[in-house]
Amino acid sequence: MNQTSFSMPNPSLYTEEDVAQLVHTFYAKARKDPSLGPIFESHVIDWNAHFIQMTNFWSAQLRGTSRFRGAPMPKHIALPELTAELFERWLQIFQQTTEELGNPNLQQHANAIASFIAGRLWQGYQISNYPDKQPIALRTL
């Protein structure tokens, strides 16, 4: 999927509260997940700062704001022993979260972006950590 496969950010469709609810609800679930929780807990030092950063990221993606400053790829590449299954689990929890929030526009837009991002991060991870192997795609959910 390329960036043009999903709709442009639209501040009239989602509020900052919608974005913050998405971020906080997702991480509440992910932190409890047996496979993802330990990874997040061992690498996120300041959860308040992480929530701000992730809210800024998703606000940029969904609403077109310009508050996000960061480079997700190097941080994910540096994590040890990530697998396709972990990225797929992340997507599964994310998609469960957007469905439960009850906003079809948010669900469709955020899920498309999340799928794109997960695929790119997984591809970058493989290229950096396994340069002699052909990258494999995530399973579509």
Side-chain angles (χ1 to χ4, degrees):
M1 174 183 290
N2 61 40
Q3 188 97 21
T4 59
S5 297
F6 43 84
S7 54
M8 297 298 293
N10 188 337
S12 68
L13 292 178
Y14 331 105
T15 65
E16 286 299 320
E17 292 77 21
D18 292 332
V19 174
Q21 183 180 19
L22 169 62
V23 169
H24 284 270
T25 303
F26 167 74
Y27 280 104
K29 293 173 181 291
R31 290 173 76 179
K32 292 178 186 172
D33 185 76
S35 58
L36 296 180
I39 297 168
F40 282 116
E41 294 302 332
S42 66
H43 290 90
V44 176
I45 307 303
D46 182 346
W47 276 100
N48 288 331
H50 190 71
F51 285 136
I52 291 168
Q53 183 79 331
M54 292 297 90
T55 300
N56 287 342
F57 175 81
W58 283 103
S59 179
Q61 297 299 314
L62 296 169
R63 302 190 76 241
T65 59
S66 59
R67 299 187 313 258
F68 178 72
R69 299 287 180 264
M73 187 66 77
K75 292 180 181 183
H76 288 83
I77 287 172
L79 296 172
E81 301 179 15
L82 294 184
T83 64
E85 291 77 20
L86 291 169
F87 281 92
E88 290 163 355
R89 181 64 181 144
W90 182 91
L91 273 173
Q92 182 181 39
I93 294 170
F94 191 88
Q95 290 171 356
Q96 288 171 351
T97 301
T98 61
E99 182 177 358
E100 291 169 6
L101 293 177
N103 180 333
N105 289 324
L106 176 71
Q107 180 181 358
Q108 180 181 8
H109 192 186
N111 286 353
I113 294 167
S115 292
F116 174 80
I117 291 168
R120 293 293 299 220
L121 289 174
W122 174 233
Q123 180 182 33
Y125 186 86
Q126 292 175 89
I127 290 168
S128 290
N129 288 284
Y130 310 108
D132 297 333
K133 293 185 178 180
Q134 180 70 23
I136 56 168
L138 295 176
R139 290 179 299 175
T140 53
L141 304 176

